[in-house]
Amino acid sequence: MAWPDHLLSLEDWAELPEDNSHRVELVEGTLHVSPRPVSDHQWALKKLTRQLDDQVPQDLVVLPEVEVVLFDEWPSTIRIPDLVVVSVEAARKSPARYRAADVRLAVEIVSPGSVRTDRVTKFGEYAEAGIGNYWIVDLSKPVSVAAYTLKDDGHYVVVGEESAVAVTLSLPAPFVVDPATLLPEWA
């Protein structure tokens, strides 16, 4: 693949070849490439998805690793949260990428190379894009879940944070998440 020599639009992004060997996001028109997540990350994603699937109301659906357009004006930004919760109505359309307005919850599982991106950059981007709820799962022991909700002033505030026991969260739906079960016993 020839690397682009200009800031990309959404149309340029859509024309790029698929690459499953890396995670590629579009950040202000530039490609942001990172390695695919390691096994512990994928294990935690699978376990969290299962926990939320068992509790999600019928009008919402849990989806891992879908493209979300945060800012479509040029230069565009598309992120791929580890997990999102969207309405069934939005999911039925089976879009190539979701709009930030469709996302009720975005979840990022922190990897060694994504700490600052997940805690600072995406934290600000998701708030600016209007995503109502953002969770950060940190797999450092003890595993923790920090949940944030967007206030009217456009800033996130913490609504739950726990590592030792299950945390009960009410937004975007009532969920109980047990961080202690997100990694295998041998990890």
Side-chain angles (χ1 to χ4, degrees), residues 59-61 63 84-104:
D59 63 329
L60 298 176
V61 63
L63 300 170
V84 297
V85 173
V86 299
S87 70
V88 168
E89 180 181 342
R92 277 192 184 124
K93 297 173 186 171
S94 194
R97 55 203 53 91
Y98 287 88
R99 298 284 181 197
D102 294 328
V103 179
R104 307 282 181 88

Side-chain angles (χ1 to χ4, degrees), residues 9-11 69-77 99:
S9 66
L10 289 179
E11 294 77 21
V69 177
L70 299 183
F71 310 110
D72 56 2
E73 70 280 351
W74 187 87
S76 306
T77 297
R99 298 284 181 197

Side-chain angles (χ1 to χ4, degrees), residues 150-161:
L150 194 62
K151 293 299 184 187
D152 291 337
D153 66 1
H155 293 90
Y156 284 125
V157 295
V158 67
V159 292
E161 188 165 9

Side-chain angles (χ1 to χ4, degrees), residues 6 12 19 47 50 63 83 85 89 99 108 110 126 131 135-136 141 160 174:
H6 62 280
D12 295 329
D19 180 356
K47 291 293 192 176
R50 186 173 294 152
L63 300 170
L83 185 140
V85 173
E89 180 181 342
R99 298 284 181 197
E108 294 291 353
V110 176
Y126 291 171
I131 294 176
W135 295 358
I136 299 173
K141 292 190 178 179

Side-chain angles (χ1 to χ4, degrees), residues 23-103:
R23 174 173 275 185
V24 182
E25 296 176 310
L26 186 65
V27 181
E28 294 183 354
T30 62
L31 296 179
H32 181 257
V33 180
S34 56
R36 296 290 310 156
V38 297
S39 294
D40 284 353
H41 182 283
Q42 294 301 84
W43 182 284
L45 177 59
K46 178 184 82 157
K47 291 293 192 176
L48 182 59
T49 301
R50 186 173 294 152
Q51 284 184 35
L52 297 184
D53 269 343
D54 290 345
Q55 303 174 66
V56 71
Q58 291 183 347
D59 63 329
L60 298 176
V61 63
V62 180
L63 300 170
E65 301 179 327
V66 297
E67 293 180 9
V68 177
V69 177
L70 299 183
F71 310 110
D72 56 2
E73 70 280 351
W74 187 87
S76 306
T77 297
I78 297 174
R79 291 293 191 173
I80 304 172
D82 290 311
L83 185 140
V84 297
V85 173
V86 299
S87 70
V88 168
E89 180 181 342
R92 277 192 184 124
K93 297 173 186 171
S94 194
R97 55 203 53 91
Y98 287 88
R99 298 284 181 197
D102 294 328
V103 179

